[in-house]
Amino acid sequence: MGGRGGWWRGKSTPAKIETYTRWSFHTFPFIEVATFALPAFGYVPAPVNWILFLLVSAHATLAAVTASLTLDWTRGHRPLPVRLLWALGTATVVIAVVSLMIALHGPRGADNGAAACTVFVGVLSFGIGTLALAVREARRMVFGVLGAAVGAGAVAVPAGVPAPGAAVAAGAVVLAAGFFTFTSAFSVWLLNAVYELDEARETRARLAVAEERLRFGRDLHDVMGRNLAVVALKSELAVQLARRGRPEAVEQMIEVQRIARETQREVREVVRGYREADLRTELAGAQGVLTAAGIDCEVSGPVTGLPAEIQSALGWVVREATTNVLRHGDAARCAVSLRVVEGRVTLTVENDGEPGIGTGSSTDTGTAEPGRGSGLAGLRERLREVDGVLRAGPAGDDLFRLTAEVPLPPDSVPEQAPAPEPGGSPRPVPHPVSEVTS
């Protein structure tokens, strides 16, 4: 999808959450440098301030790379970067201690102690928070934060920090490292939860299709199972009679021929019932399937009184639109409305997700099997048989609309929609689910 923001709108909800999470971690290096390295220029004289700036910048860059690769491991795209995690842990300890020693025992500035504690706490906190991405258990995360705080206090005192200052530094590490650890853990949990919900939604859609296939299979079994058993029995009887030269064999084969033709007729009726979509059934099924998939679906408008061929054509529009909303869109809401105005019936399907394959735009040129097909091409073929037209395309920001319009025969008198509101289009009449499915 082109245009400004098309790269973002073209992503699914899980992909958007993943992109947001990754870029959030990519901003952490800038926060670390701006919060803990740049203030050193105001407290520590040159060249010590530059040394601290370079050390913190190197640590922030290493943490960003580690976070990116560890998120890949979280999503199952690559193995856990064990060596990089060890490198980050080692660099965190070394840079924190070196920064502390340089700030305390290097050239004296206006307030080396404040700069030392700031750099020391910041490097440890961001390091522990990034390492938490590779930890699954919350207990280990807590132990990591507490261990970092104890280690900070144990290192600060021998380095020359007074005991009260070391205690304050340990407490600051607990708060800062705990916050960044919680942020990392929550981000990973949210990302995994969104992907799991998306997979569950796709599973529901596949189950709905599988259930329909099972229903069709049961219908065929019920029709053909008994008749084929009778055909087999009568054919065996005819063989036995023919071997004995009995004239009744001809009668049995005539009966087999009659049953075969009757079975062929019944199978055609089953297939015709499967292929000929009933509008009322399709509307109820669309509402049920979309609701089960977590999409708010509203169905409105008159259903009764339409000719059978028009109901079948519009039923296919509902079926195809529902399939595309489930498979290719990222919708949270879908509205299906039916209007009858001035001898024309109009079916409108609107959703707030991105269009997908088969409903991409009104200029879709996908090919379909002659006379019948899928996607817009197949729907146009079906509507053309009843002199209908199909329009599909964006209808505003984050809104996609598919409209099918079919003229009614002169002798058809369906329920009429309410009169249009002043300055607006006819307002559809909501029907409860029980009315649609009755």
Side-chain angles (χ1 to χ4, degrees), residues 75-102:
R75 296 303 315 140
H77 299 325
R78 66 171 66 243
L80 181 66
V82 178
R83 294 183 179 179
L84 196 59
L85 290 168
W86 276 104
L88 176 62
T90 303
T92 299
V93 175
V94 171
I95 293 176
V97 173
V98 170
S99 300
L100 182 62
M101 298 301 294
I102 290 177

Side-chain angles (χ1 to χ4, degrees), residues 300-304 306 337-346 408 414-421 425-431:
S300 59
V303 179
T304 59
L306 297 176
S337 62
L338 195 68
R339 296 181 296 150
V340 180
V341 179
E342 297 180 356
R344 302 184 72 86
V345 55
T346 302
L408 292 172
E415 294 185 21
Q416 295 296 316
E421 296 182 354
S425 57
R427 187 175 184 180
V429 180
H431 287 257

Side-chain angles (χ1 to χ4, degrees), residues 156-372:
V157 173
V161 178
V168 172
V173 170
V174 170
L175 295 177
F179 171 77
F180 288 117
T181 299
F182 172 79
T183 301
S184 299
F186 180 77
S187 298
V188 172
W189 173 83
L190 179 62
L191 184 60
N192 290 333
V194 170
Y195 270 105
E196 289 175 1
L197 289 175
D198 187 67
E199 291 175 1
R201 176 179 170 181
E202 292 181 357
T203 301
R204 288 180 179 180
R206 289 195 297 267
L207 288 177
V209 175
E211 184 178 357
E212 179 64 16
R213 291 175 178 173
L214 287 175
R215 184 196 67 79
F216 182 61
R218 287 194 299 268
D219 290 346
L220 282 181
H221 178 271
D222 294 341
V223 169
M224 299 188 66
R226 177 184 60 83
N227 290 351
L228 289 178
V230 175
V231 167
L233 181 62
K234 288 188 172 291
S235 298
E236 183 179 358
L237 178 60
V239 170
Q240 297 296 332
L241 293 174
R243 287 176 178 175
R244 297 174 185 176
R246 302 282 295 275
E248 291 87 348
V250 177
E251 297 178 0
Q252 294 298 326
M253 292 307 300
I254 293 176
E255 182 68 11
V256 168
Q257 186 181 35
R258 185 193 66 80
I259 295 175
R261 290 176 177 174
E262 181 69 16
T263 302
Q264 186 179 28
R265 182 187 62 80
E266 292 179 355
V267 169
R268 286 175 178 172
E269 290 180 355
V270 171
V271 174
R272 186 182 301 111
Y274 179 75
R275 288 183 175 177
E276 295 297 328
D278 178 72
L279 181 57
R280 184 184 299 273
T281 302
E282 293 299 331
L283 288 173
Q287 190 172 41
V289 170
L290 292 176
T291 302
I295 301 174
D296 183 20
C297 180
E298 178 183 354
V299 178
S300 59
V303 179
T304 59
L306 297 176
E309 62 273 11
I310 293 180
Q311 288 204 36
S312 176
L314 295 180
W316 271 102
V317 175
V318 174
R319 180 182 297 183
E320 182 68 23
T322 303
T323 301
N324 280 280
V325 170
L326 287 172
R327 287 186 175 181
H328 311 300
D330 186 25
R333 182 186 63 84
C334 181
V336 183
S337 62
L338 195 68
R339 296 181 296 150
V340 180
V341 179
E342 297 180 356
R344 302 184 72 86
V345 55
T346 302
L347 174 70
T348 303
V349 181
E350 291 184 349
N351 68 87
D352 57 356
E354 297 298 330
I357 301 172
T359 58
S361 65
S362 60
T363 59
D364 180 64
T365 58
T367 59
E369 183 181 348
R372 289 291 183 267

